[in-house]
Each structure stands twice: as C-alpha cells, then as structure tokens.
C-alpha cells in the first residue's frame, strides 16, 4: 500500500516508494510533495504520525526536519502546531507515559503498513510529559529534533538557546552543595549530555546565527564540568577493577569524554560528514519561511537533600538518581584501534547514537533493526564499531536495556545481512573477550556464555575449537577452561550430547569438558542387575500407588503408617523423593504433573529446613548428570513451596557445593534462580498493589457518584399526611439503590484485596530482608575462612599475584641447587597448578576460588541493589562490621556503587 504514511516511513530508504534511489534531496522533494497535497484532507493524522516517525526513527531526523521546513513555506499554522506539540511532549503532563507505550508503533508499521493504518486510527496515542516523567530517550530525541528544526528555519535559534540554558541552570543548581542536591548529579549530567549531543546536528547554525549566546552556553557547560563530581565506573565496569585509587587520574568519564569530542568538533569548524545536512540543498527556499517561537521550559523539582546527611542517606538518593537517569552506554573496547577507521572523535559518538537508537526503537522488529543498522547514514565502514556497541549493550551493567535474547537475534540477523564481513567481526570479538575472560566481570561472563552457546546453536555449532584445545592443559579452575566447559554444557541443553560432540571433532580431546552423557541416576533402579533391598521394594510399592492414581492423602497415610515407623523419616524422604523424581523424569510436563499431584506428600515429609536440604540433596543426586534438570527441578519445587529460599541458600553454601564455586556454574545457577524468584514475587506484589490502588480510586469515585445520585433521588420524597411519598419513579429509585449497594460492595472488595496484598508484601519484604542477611552472612563466613590475611592481599591484584610471589620465592631458594638439578645449565620449569606445567595461568586454586566468589558477591549486590539499600543499616550492623575482610566489603560496596571510604 503506497500512501503518505509509507512515504513518511520510508524516507531515506532505498525502496520502491522512492524509485529505488537513495538521493536524500529527491526523497525530501517527493515526501514534501505528497504531504503538501494530503494536508488539506489528512492534516490531523499527518501531524502526530510525522512526530512519531521523527521520535522513533531518529537517524532520519534531518530528513524529517527539512520536510517540516518546506511545509512551513506552505502552511505555517500546521508547522506551528508541530512546534507546539513538541513542547507539549516535553512539558505538558498527560496520563500513561512510559517508553513501552510507543516503542513498537513504527516496528508494526514497517512490518505491516495496513496494520499501522489501523493502529493509528484506533489508538489513543498518549504522548506524555518527558521532562517530569524522566523519559530520557524522549527528552534526548526531542532536543535533537528541535536542533534540526532550527536548522530548517522552523524555530528561532534563540529559543533553542533558552532551552539549553534552562537545562544548564538546573544542572548547575543540582550539583551546588548549598542550593541543590548533589546526590542527583545523574540528572544534572543527563541534562548536559542532552545539550552537547544536540550540537553535532545544530552547532554550526547556532555558531553562525547566535555566536554570543552559544558561546555563553559552552562557557556554562565548562563551568559545570569544573564543579561536578567525576563519575567512577566502579561496580559497573566490564572488567574487574580495584578501587579508584589505582586508576589513572587522567581517565575521563562519559560526560568529560563527550565534552572533549565536542571541543574537537568546534575547533574543526563544526564540520563532519556523519550527520546528513539535507537542509543545505533547500537553504534558498527555507530562509523565506517564518520561524516560530518555542516557549520556555521548566525542569522538574528534584527531591530535597536528606535531612540527616550520611553516606547511607546520600547513597540511597544517588542510587535512585542513577536508576532514573542511567548512563546510556559504557564503551567496551574490544578491538585494537587500527580495526576502526580513522574517524573524527565525534564520529564515534554519532555512530553509537544511531546504533543505540535503532536498537532501542526497533526492539520489536529485529529484521528491520538489522536492516537499519547496516544502512546508517555515515560515509565510513563501522562493522567493528557496531559489534562493540552491541556487545556493550549485551554486557551492560547492572542490566541490559532489553533481554539478552534480543541482542542474540540481532547479531544473528546482522551475520545474515553482512555474510562477508560481520561473522568474522563477531568471531574476532569472541576471541578478544576470551583472551580477557579472567578479568571479565562474573555477570558479564555468564551472559557471554549464554549468548555464545545460543549463537553457535543457530550456526550448526560451528567453531574452530582446535584454537582453544590448549585449555585442557590449564588447571581446572582457569577461567578460560571453565568458559569452554560452560559453553559446551549450555550447547548440550540447546541440542543433544552427540551433536555437540560431533561439533568438536577437530578438537576431540575437548570431550573431557562435555557434561556427562548419562541420564538420571535413580538409586532404586532395578536395571543392570543391581542388588535389591527393602528400599527398592518401598520404591516399587510407591510407584505402583502412583500408577494406580491413588491420591496424595492415601500416599501420606502409607508413608506415616508403613514407612516412617519402620525405616525412619530419612529413608522415607529418600524413597519418596527418588521415586517421584523418577516418575517425573520423562519430560518437564511429567515433572510438573507429579509435583502438582503429590507435592503434599513431599511437603508433609520435608516440614523443616533440614529436611528440605536433604530433599535438595536427593534432587542433586538424581540429576547429577544434568545441571539443567537439577536447576529446573529445584526451581519448580520452590515455586510449589516445597523448598524455601533459605534452604537453597544453606545448601548452595554447604561444604560440598562451595568447592565448585570456581569450577562450575551449577551452584550459582541454583542460587540465582532462588534469589530471582524471591525478588520477582515482591515485584509482582508491588505491581498488583499499584493496580489495586488505581482500581480502588476508581471504585471510590463510582461509589461516591452512585451514593450522590441515590441521595438526590431520595431527597425528592415528599410527606403526605406524615407519610413519605416517592417523588421519583419507584423503579428508578430501586435501580439506584441497587447500583449504590453494588458500588459499595465493589469498593469494599477491592479494599479488602488491597489490604491482603499489602499484608503479603510486608511479609515478603521481611522474608527478603532475612534472606539477604543470611546470604551475606554465609558469604562472609566462607570467604573469611579462605581469604588470605590483609597484609598478603588487600586488593584483587594482590590476591591474583600471591601464587606468582610464592613461586618466585621458591625459585630464589632453589637457585643455588640449579646446577645439580640440571646438567645442561638450564633451570627446570616449575610444576604448578596441580602438577601440570604452567601453560599461562598463574593464579592458584584457593585464590581463584576467592576471586570467583567475590565476583559473584559483587554481581548479587549490583543486581539487587534497590532491595539491599532498604536494609543497608542492618547489613552494616550485622555483616559489614569492622571485623569483615576488606575484600568482601569492597565487593559489596562496588555492587552497591558505594564508595569504599564511606564504610
């Protein structure tokens, strides 16, 4: 369907609507001509759709801005309405504003233009107040659109400068110790970033038309940078770092880096090729248009500083600010500089903006996302930069903007769209990250394993494994070896054992790292001629009861009357758990069915934490050959309240399991699932309470209205001979009474539901507090037993070098006997890491255990920081005491983004 909607959507694309050419000037002329003809008939539809296109395809903003400038020559009122709508979207308050409400509109349109037409006609498209709601993407894009409209003579340059100065003034006030609230510097930094990020699109015109005003803004930005606090990446960097004192004092944060790039652009006369400037082709026409004023804006009030200033109160506010105004990207420099073309400093920033915008706005349409990512309006090749940007989002801490699966699909589509270039770039990125895997953050390492295994599953598991076969010569705790082992294990989950074994035929020795091939390990199996005992008979009896579809109550009676009195509760637990697991082992559906029907039997036997830990042991034993089924079964049992999260924490941190912390993801996966499920319960309750509060408000309004209507009708009663006589229609009065009663009952029902949910939330929060305290106490205890003395290792770097220092000492001691040991006069190689030659990993097993565990402590602290900040006073008092090891404290503080000197 070719229409003005299609023309607007496809402007700048090489497509049939524009005769297959890619000349921007011709595209603009065609689009302008179509819109000019349609304005008379469809003006009310064109205006919001044009704004949606500009906001959701921001890499095309220069084209849309030029089209608006040309329309301004023909219909000033229409363009004035566009400017007013931009201001409304930035400032006026409306209902239901959130990113998700408008992200997918264009994706739908690109996939199906007929559907787009229906959506636009049928939807009430709420725009919202971007500034007050803190909609960062919307503020940034609208600011860019304003800069482009200024270039097309649609708005006065002075109006744009006033907007800049408003944001600048708010930012400067925020970081002022006396007048503002420096804890909310994240908001101030965001405002300054918005100003600077507009300048590549409009800086040249501003310097030309209002040089003094824009110079005043630049001076103000420089002054702001001089008084703000330098932002550290501690806790959010991709690679493990110690505290800031070990970093270069010249290292720039994101805003300082952007300011440096803008300064270089300014010194080059604002000349750059990565931003299209189509308005210059129409400059002679555009100057005849009337420029419109853009009204003043006001920045929202930020929370007041805490009444009692402390590291905790300020830390909580700083955390809230960073959640609301997150840094959009943290650069992940994977490739050497020579892999990326010699660009102007600003070109990298602009290409990143394009890529991030496309990733954000096309998250519902991956193929269109890949299509636009390979066709950005830049004159240089950017495959390596594109890979770095995507991986920076996939590994972004504390959370990626979208689920990791989205980035997996985008990378797959890009490999298919650029088969001659991008697969090699992705492979290079994997190799580069693999080389640095020992220093990669533990959360990033987990995400990389999950992504890589899924990626390979889409390309027939093809990878030159022979390149990594050397990991077998590394100690079992070496991160590179563990990475290969975990990738292979995840591949088996996505396929099957024989297929994955076949994929490593070029490096057959790696079969050693594959998970066991066998299935369940049933203790009471009658196969293979195993000797049978009484427990086998009990298992067979229980199995026949289940197959006979006896109900849970009957099974409980059998256990209580025939098993426990004779064999004891431990045997009963073992028999019931192993047998029910075996019955449910055929598929995930079988497992769910068994747990639903006979979960009461398990709950009756496992009525305390110790029994639940024994149950987890049985699950682990039965599924010892499958980490996936172990995790799934424990997760399902927790979902059915058969196992508590406390039992899982205690089991994971038991002596048997902590020995695997540095060599397997198995215990960590189970712990992650348990904490995540607990957190999700709280999140769901909060959402339900929020919804019920809205429902209650609506119910109260309805109840008040029906009551008022009833009272008004009843007030019309008249007295005749002392008896009331209905002045209203009796039928209507009866209906009003019925409506009032129903409304009152509905209000009472909603209020009761709300109170019940609030009680559940209070209980869940108390449970969550106890869970995190127990988790961190256990972490502290196991780490205190293994971490070396502070004098030996006060930093992560010191921890990594303990074994190297010990080996050096041994070498010095043995140097006097070297001639005796080696007749040829050559020193023998030291045998380390369990007797194998040291191939390239010098960290000892104990030290690696500490590094891995500390990395996971930091990851948990970072992921659940919002919850942990609620209990930080208790955590400080009960766990992070003066006696706690400094490295443990550093790990927790880094996850919370809490400066270590505030301890």
């Amino acid at each position: 369907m070719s229409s003005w909607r299609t023309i607007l959507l496809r402007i700048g694309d090489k497509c049939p609507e524009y005769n297959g050419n890619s000349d921007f000037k011709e595209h603009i002329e065609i689009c302008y001509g179509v819109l000019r003809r349609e304005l008379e008939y469809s003006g009310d539809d064109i205006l919001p759709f044009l704004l949606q296109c500009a906001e959701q395809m921001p890499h095309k903003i220069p084209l849309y801005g030029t089209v608006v400038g040309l329309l301004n020559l023909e219909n000033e009122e229409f363009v004035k309405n566009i400017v007013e709508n931009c201001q409304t979207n930035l400032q006026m308050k409306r209902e239901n504003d959130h990113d998700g409400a408008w992200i997918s509109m264009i994706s739908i349109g690109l996939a199906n233009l007929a559907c787009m037409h229906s959506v636009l006609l049928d939807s009430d498209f709420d725009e919202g107040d971007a500034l007050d709601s803190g909609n960062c993407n919307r503020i940034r894009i609208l600011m860019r659109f304003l800069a482009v409209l200024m270039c097309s003579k649609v708005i006065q340059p002075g109006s744009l400068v006033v907007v800049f100065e408003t944001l600048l003034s708010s930012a400067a006030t925020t970081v002022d110790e006396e007048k503002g609230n420096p804890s909310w510097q994240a908001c101030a930094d965001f405002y300054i970033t918005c100003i600077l990020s507009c300048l590549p699109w409009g800086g040249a015109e501003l310097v030309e038309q209002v040089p003094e005003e824009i110079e005043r803004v630049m001076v103000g930005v420089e002054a702001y940078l001089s008084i703000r606090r330098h932002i550290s990446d501690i806790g959010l960097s991709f690679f493990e770092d110690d505290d800031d004192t070990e970093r270069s004092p010249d290292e720039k944060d994101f805003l300082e880096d952007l300011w440096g790039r803008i300064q270089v652009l300014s010194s080059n006369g604002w000349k750059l090729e990565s931003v299209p400037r189509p308005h210059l082709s129409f400059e002679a026409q555009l100057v005849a248009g009337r420029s419109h004023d853009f009204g003043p804006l006001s920045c929202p009030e930020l929370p007041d500083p805490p009444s009692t200033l402390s590291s905790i109160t300020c830390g909580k506010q700083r955390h809230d600010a960073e959640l609301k105004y997150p840094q959009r990207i943290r650069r992940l420099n994977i490739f050497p500089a020579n892999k990326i073309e010699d660009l102007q400093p600003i070109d990298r920033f602009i290409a990143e903006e394009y890529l991030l915008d496309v990733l954000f706005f096309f998250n519902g349409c991956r193929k269109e996302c890949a299509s636009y990512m390979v066709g950005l309006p830049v004159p240089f090749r950017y495959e390596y930069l594109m890979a770095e940007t995507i991986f920076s989002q996939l590994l972004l801490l504390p959370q990626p903007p979208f689920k990791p699966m989205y980035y997996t699909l985008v990378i797959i589509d890009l490999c298919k769209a650029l088969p001659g270039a991008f697969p090699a770039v992705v492979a290079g990125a994997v190799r580069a990250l693999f080389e640095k895997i020992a220093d990669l953050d533990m959360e990033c390492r987990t995400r990389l394993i999950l992504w890589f295994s899924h990626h390979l599953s889409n390309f027939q598991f093809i990878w030159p494994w022979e390149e990594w076969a050397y990991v077998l010569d590394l100690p079992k705790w070496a991160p590179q070896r563990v990475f290969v082992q975990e990738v292979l294990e995840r591949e088996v989950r996505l396929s099957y054992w024989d297929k994955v074994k076949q994929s490593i035929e070029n490096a057959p020795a790696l079969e050693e790292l594959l998970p066991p091939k066998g299935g369940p390990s049933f203790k009471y199996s009658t196969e293979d001629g195993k000797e049978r005992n009484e427990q086998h008979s009990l298992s067979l009896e229980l199995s026949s009861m289940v197959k006979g579809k006896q109900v849970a109550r009957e099974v409980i009676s059998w256990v209580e009357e025939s098993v426990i009195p004779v064999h004891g509760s431990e045997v009963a637990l073992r028999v019931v758990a192993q047998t029910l697991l075996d019955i449910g082992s055929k598929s995930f559906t079988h497992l769910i069915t068994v747990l639903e029907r006979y979960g009461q039997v398990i709950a009756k036997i496992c009525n305390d934490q110790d029994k639940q830990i024994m149950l987890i042991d049985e699950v682990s034993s039965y599924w010892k050959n499958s980490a996936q089924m172990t995790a799934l079964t424990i997760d399902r049992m927790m979902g059915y309240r058969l196992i508590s999260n406390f039992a899982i924490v205690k089991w994971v941190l038991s002596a048997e399991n902590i020995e695997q912390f540095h060599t397997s993801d198995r215990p960590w996966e189970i712990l992650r699932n348990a904490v995540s499920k607990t957190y999700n319960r709280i999140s769901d309750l909060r959402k339900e309470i929020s919804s019920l509060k809205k429902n209650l408000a609506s119910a109260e309004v309805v109840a008040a209205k029906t009551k008022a209507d009833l009272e008004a009708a009843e007030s019309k009663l008249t007295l005749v001979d002392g008896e009331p006589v209905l002045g209203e229609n009796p039928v209507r009065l009866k209906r009003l009474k019925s409506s009032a009663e129903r409304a009152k009952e509905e209000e009472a029902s909603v209020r009761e539901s709300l109170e019940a949910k609030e009680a559940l939330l209070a209980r869940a929060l108390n449970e969550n507090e106890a869970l995190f305290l127990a988790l961190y106490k256990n972490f502290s205890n196991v780490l205190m037993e293994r971490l070396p003395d502070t004098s030996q290792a006060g930093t992560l770097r010191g921890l990594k070098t303990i074994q190297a220092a010990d080996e050096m000492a041994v070498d010095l001691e043995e140097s006097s006997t070297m001639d005796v040991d080696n007749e040829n006069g050559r020193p023998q190689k030291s045998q380390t890491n369990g007797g194998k030659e040291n191939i390239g990993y010098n960290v000892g097993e104990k030290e690696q255990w500490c590094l891995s565990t500390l990395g996971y402590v930091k990851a948990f602290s970072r992921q659940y920081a919002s919850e942990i900040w609620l209990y930080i006073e208790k955590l400080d008092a009960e766990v992070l005491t003066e006696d706690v090891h400094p490295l443990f404290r550093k790990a927790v503080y880094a996850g919370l983004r809490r400066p270590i000197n505030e301890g």
Side-chain angles (χ1 to χ4, degrees):
M1 178 177 71
S2 181
S3 68
W4 60 264
R5 287 183 175 84
T6 319
I7 295 295
L8 264 176
L9 281 170
R10 291 297 188 185
I11 190 171
D13 300 345
K14 193 172 182 179
C15 59
E17 286 78 10
Y18 288 96
N19 303 319
N21 71 59
S22 55
D23 179 47
F24 286 167
K25 186 174 187 296
E26 186 173 339
H27 280 220
I28 290 169
E29 288 172 342
I30 292 174
C31 186
Y32 163 62
V34 170
L35 293 184
R36 183 180 59 178
R37 290 192 300 271
E38 293 290 338
L39 275 181
E40 182 179 350
Y41 311 104
S42 308
D44 292 342
D45 294 331
I46 290 173
L47 191 151
F49 191 82
L50 193 156
L51 285 176
Q52 290 162 28
C53 288
E55 290 184 22
Q56 297 173 46
M57 294 190 288
H59 58 289
K60 297 184 181 184
I61 275 182
L63 306 180
Y64 291 122
T66 306
V67 170
V68 173
L70 293 173
L71 291 173
N72 192 39
L73 303 173
E74 298 286 334
N75 194 326
E76 290 183 0
E77 190 63 25
F78 175 79
V79 173
K80 180 183 177 184
N81 288 337
I82 288 179
V83 174
E84 289 174 352
N85 269 264
C86 287
Q87 177 150 7
T88 297
N89 293 345
L90 270 171
Q91 192 68 68
M92 183 179 288
K93 185 69 178 173
R94 295 188 186 179
E95 297 296 324
N96 301 326
D97 179 42
H98 56 85
D99 289 345
W102 50 284
I103 288 173
S104 61
M105 183 69 72
I106 295 302
S107 297
I108 295 171
L110 290 167
N112 190 330
L113 291 168
C115 179
M116 167 66 82
H117 178 73
S118 172
V119 169
L120 287 176
L121 288 180
D122 298 339
S123 299
D124 182 15
F125 202 70
D126 290 324
E127 300 295 346
D129 177 352
L131 272 172
D132 281 351
S133 66
N135 190 331
C136 295
N137 279 298
R138 192 148 215 233
I139 297 169
R140 181 178 51 79
I141 296 301
L142 285 170
M143 292 279 291
R144 186 190 303 176
F145 190 45
L146 292 179
V148 170
L149 291 179
M150 180 272 302
C151 294
S152 297
K153 316 299 180 187
V154 172
I155 67 171
Q156 298 280 0
S159 298
L160 185 60
V161 171
V162 169
V163 174
F164 288 171
E165 290 179 332
T166 301
L167 297 179
L168 181 56
S169 173
S170 174
T173 302
T174 298
V175 297
D176 187 282
E177 295 281 353
E178 297 179 0
K179 300 178 182 178
N181 184 357
S183 296
W184 278 79
Q185 182 181 311
C187 175
D189 281 357
F190 169 71
Y191 287 164
I192 302 302
T193 301
C194 285
I195 295 171
L196 296 179
S197 64
C198 285
L199 297 180
W201 279 266
E205 281 72 16
L206 287 170
V207 169
E208 179 184 342
Q209 298 176 43
V210 284
E212 294 180 0
E213 288 87 340
I214 193 60
E215 178 62 25
R216 189 169 64 240
V217 170
M218 299 291 274
V219 170
V221 170
E222 191 167 19
Y224 170 81
L225 289 168
S226 69
I227 61 173
R228 70 185 279 275
R229 177 176 53 88
H230 172 84
I231 299 299
S232 162
D233 269 353
I234 188 167
L236 298 179
S237 57
F238 299 108
F239 298 98
E240 297 284 4
D241 291 300
D242 285 319
D243 56 68
D244 281 348
T245 57
E246 298 188 22
R247 295 190 175 194
S248 167
D250 298 327
E251 186 177 343
K252 296 180 179 179
D253 62 26
F254 180 80
L255 184 56
E256 293 163 350
D257 176 78
L258 176 56
W259 171 244
R261 294 171 190 268
I262 292 294
Q263 286 182 306
V264 173
L265 177 61
S266 174
S267 64
N268 291 340
W270 300 96
K271 295 177 182 178
L272 72 167
E273 296 181 358
S274 50
V275 174
R277 299 171 64 77
H279 63 278
L280 295 179
S281 301
F282 300 92
E283 195 166 22
Q285 298 162 254
L286 293 174
V287 292
R290 175 179 171 230
S291 296
H292 305 272
D293 287 325
F294 188 85
L297 298 172
S298 60
C299 295
E301 294 290 330
L302 294 177
D304 293 328
S307 54
T308 305
L309 292 176
S310 70
S311 64
I312 291 178
T313 56
C314 291
K316 287 179 178 178
Q317 286 210 359
R318 187 162 57 244
H319 174 73
D320 291 341
E322 290 176 352
L323 276 182
K324 190 170 184 179
Y325 298 96
Q327 186 173 309
R328 196 174 184 216
I329 186 175
R330 298 183 190 280
R331 291 193 177 96
L332 176 59
N333 297 311
I334 301 174
F335 303 105
N338 61 6
K339 291 290 186 182
I340 298 176
E341 289 196 19
D342 186 19
L343 310 175
Q344 285 193 56
I346 198 64
D347 283 332
R348 175 170 185 134
F349 169 77
I350 292 167
E352 288 170 343
E353 286 285 284
Y354 288 150
L355 292 166
L356 294 174
D357 287 341
V358 172
L359 281 169
F360 181 80
F361 290 105
F362 287 90
N363 71 84
C365 192
R366 50 181 259 216
K367 292 195 178 296
E368 288 290 343
C369 174
S371 174
Y372 277 114
M373 288 186 80
V374 301
L376 298 179
V378 294
F380 48 82
R381 295 191 63 174
Y382 54 92
E383 290 91 348
Y384 288 97
L385 180 56
M386 182 160 60
E388 285 189 346
T389 303
I390 296 172
F391 277 105
S392 75
Q393 295 294 284
L394 172 66
L395 304 180
L396 187 66
L397 297 170
Q399 296 288 345
F402 301 102
K403 291 182 179 180
M405 176 67 71
Y406 170 54
Y407 303 101
T408 303
L409 297 174
V410 169
I411 291 172
I412 291 169
D413 287 331
L414 286 171
C415 288
K416 294 175 180 177
L418 297 171
F422 203 65
V425 173
V426 172
V430 172
R431 291 186 177 97
L433 289 171
F434 182 72
E435 290 299 316
K436 304 175 185 176
I437 202 73
D439 296 321
L440 194 64
D441 179 90
M442 295 304 295
E443 169 67 19
C444 294
R445 201 181 301 183
T446 301
R447 284 191 218 162
L448 189 65
I449 289 167
L450 295 175
W451 164 78
F452 188 49
S453 56
H454 189 190
H455 180 80
L456 291 181
S457 74
N458 282 272
F459 293 95
Q460 301 178 344
F461 298 100
I462 295 173
W463 180 257
W465 290 106
E466 63 274 11
E467 294 181 7
W468 291 351
Y470 69 87
V471 300
L472 290 171
D473 297 323
L474 298 177
K476 65 179 181 178
W477 59 86
Q480 288 187 336
R481 178 179 173 130
V482 174
F483 177 84
V484 173
Q485 169 188 300
E486 293 300 323
V487 168
L488 292 174
E489 195 274 331
R490 292 286 175 170
E491 284 188 352
V492 171
R493 296 191 190 192
L494 295 167
S495 181
Y496 52 95
W497 196 90
D498 290 318
K499 174 69 174 177
V500 177
K501 180 189 175 184
Q502 182 183 355
S503 73
I504 59 173
E505 59 185 7
N506 290 337
L510 287 178
E511 184 180 339
E512 179 184 332
L513 300 183
L514 283 174
K517 185 180 181 181
S521 179
F522 184 34
K523 288 182 179 177
Y524 307 117
S525 173
T526 56
E527 299 175 2
D528 303 328
K530 290 184 179 179
E531 183 180 347
R532 298 177 61 174
N533 55 31
E534 290 184 13
Q535 293 181 24
H536 282 76
S537 301
L538 291 173
S539 175
L540 284 171
E541 188 174 350
L542 175 57
S543 181
S544 64
M545 292 175 73
V546 172
K547 290 176 182 176
K549 298 189 176 179
Q550 294 194 27
V551 297
R553 185 175 61 256
E554 294 173 332
V555 176
I556 291 173
S557 298
W558 173 74
V559 170
E560 291 180 335
E561 295 170 7
S562 304
V563 183
I564 294 178
V566 178
H567 302 280
S569 58
E570 289 189 15
V571 170
L573 189 156
R574 188 177 303 117
V575 168
V576 169
Q578 287 277 331
T579 306
L580 292 181
L581 286 171
D582 194 58
I583 294 170
S585 64
K586 291 182 180 178
S587 69
F588 184 65
T589 305
H590 281 75
L591 172 65
I592 297 300
T593 302
V594 167
L595 292 179
E596 286 179 349
R597 290 181 181 174
Y598 298 101
Q600 296 173 33
V601 181
I602 298 174
K604 188 72 175 178
I605 300 174
C606 303
N607 51 12
D608 60 41
Q609 190 176 106
D610 290 338
K611 294 285 198 316
Q612 291 174 8
I613 292 172
M614 290 174 61
L615 174 60
I616 301 173
D617 273 331
E618 293 304 323
V619 174
S620 179
S621 170
Y622 182 85
W623 286 114
K624 65 182 181 181
N625 295 328
S626 174
Q628 180 183 23
M629 285 307 300
T630 303
L632 279 174
T633 305
I634 292 173
D635 183 70
R636 286 296 86 203
M637 286 183 167
M638 181 180 169
Y640 287 115
R641 308 276 181 168
L642 305 178
I643 297 174
S644 72
N645 44 19
F646 293 95
I648 294 174
V649 167
K650 193 170 181 181
W651 180 81
V652 168
L653 290 161
S654 63
E656 180 182 351
N657 288 307
I658 62 176
E659 296 299 327
Q660 304 177 49
F661 277 9
H662 58 317
T663 60
S664 172
D665 188 53
R666 186 175 184 137
W668 295 113
E669 181 182 9
I670 293 168
L671 184 59
R672 283 196 302 268
N673 289 346
V675 179
S676 176
K677 189 174 284 291
T678 305
Y679 173 75
N680 289 339
R681 284 175 184 167
I682 293 174
S683 298
D684 291 343
L685 283 170
R686 284 172 175 156
K687 290 175 184 175
E688 290 172 12
I689 288 171
S690 176
S691 177
L692 284 170
K693 283 181 177 178
K694 292 178 183 177
N695 293 343
L696 179 60
S698 301
E700 287 174 342
V701 170
V702 172
K705 184 178 184 305
T706 55
K707 183 180 178 183
D709 291 344
L710 177 60
E711 289 174 350
E714 289 177 336
S715 68
K716 293 183 180 180
L717 291 175
T718 57
L719 292 175
V720 177
D721 297 331
E723 295 293 329
V725 177
L726 291 175
E728 279 278 347
N729 183 334
V731 176
R732 181 173 183 272
L733 189 61
K734 184 179 179 180
R735 188 173 67 249
L736 288 172
K737 284 182 179 179
S738 176
S739 297
E741 289 172 0
R742 282 199 306 271
K744 189 174 181 180
E745 289 173 1
E746 177 67 21
E747 179 189 352
S749 174
V750 175
R751 193 182 300 279
E752 185 178 334
S753 297
L754 177 60
E755 290 172 356
K757 292 294 183 184
E758 286 177 335
L760 285 173
L761 177 62
R763 191 173 71 184
L765 288 172
N766 289 335
E767 179 186 313
N768 203 39
E769 177 181 349
L771 175 68
F772 277 111
L773 287 173
L775 182 62
Y776 280 97
K777 283 178 183 176
N778 278 282
F779 272 140
S780 178
N781 291 337
V782 297
L783 280 163
M784 284 294 285
E785 294 172 3
R786 295 174 178 242
L787 280 169
D789 186 77
T790 310
S791 60
Q792 266 190 296
T795 65
L796 293 180
R797 187 172 290 113
L799 186 60
K800 291 176 182 178
T801 57
I802 284 179
Q803 176 159 310
D806 291 345
E807 288 174 3
M808 185 177 294
V810 170
D811 287 344
L812 289 174
E813 289 175 7
E814 294 180 350
S815 61
S816 60
T817 61
M818 192 175 293
D819 291 338
V820 176
D821 291 337
N822 189 342
E823 296 176 355
N824 298 322
R826 294 178 183 173
Q828 296 186 4
K829 293 180 181 178
S830 62
Q831 300 293 312
T832 60
N833 297 331
K836 290 185 178 182
E837 282 192 9
N838 188 337
I839 306 298
Y841 195 65
N842 297 320
V843 178
E845 182 170 11
K846 181 180 177 182
E847 290 74 27
Q848 183 60 50
W849 185 95
C850 294
L851 288 167
S852 298
T853 306
L854 287 170
Y856 279 112
V857 168
K858 182 168 78 168
F860 275 107
S861 304
R862 180 173 52 222
Q863 185 172 0
Y864 300 104
S866 295
E867 298 301 314
I868 295 170
W869 274 110
L870 298 176
Y871 324 125
I872 195 66
E873 289 88 352
K874 267 196 173 181
L875 193 66
D876 280 353
E878 298 182 22
V879 181
L880 301 176
T881 59
E882 292 181 359
D883 299 331
V884 77
H885 197 286
L887 285 179
F888 176 69
R889 185 193 303 276
K890 280 184 180 182
V892 178
Y893 276 33
L896 299 177
R897 304 266 291 144
R898 185 180 180 186
I900 190 66
N901 55 12
E902 292 182 357

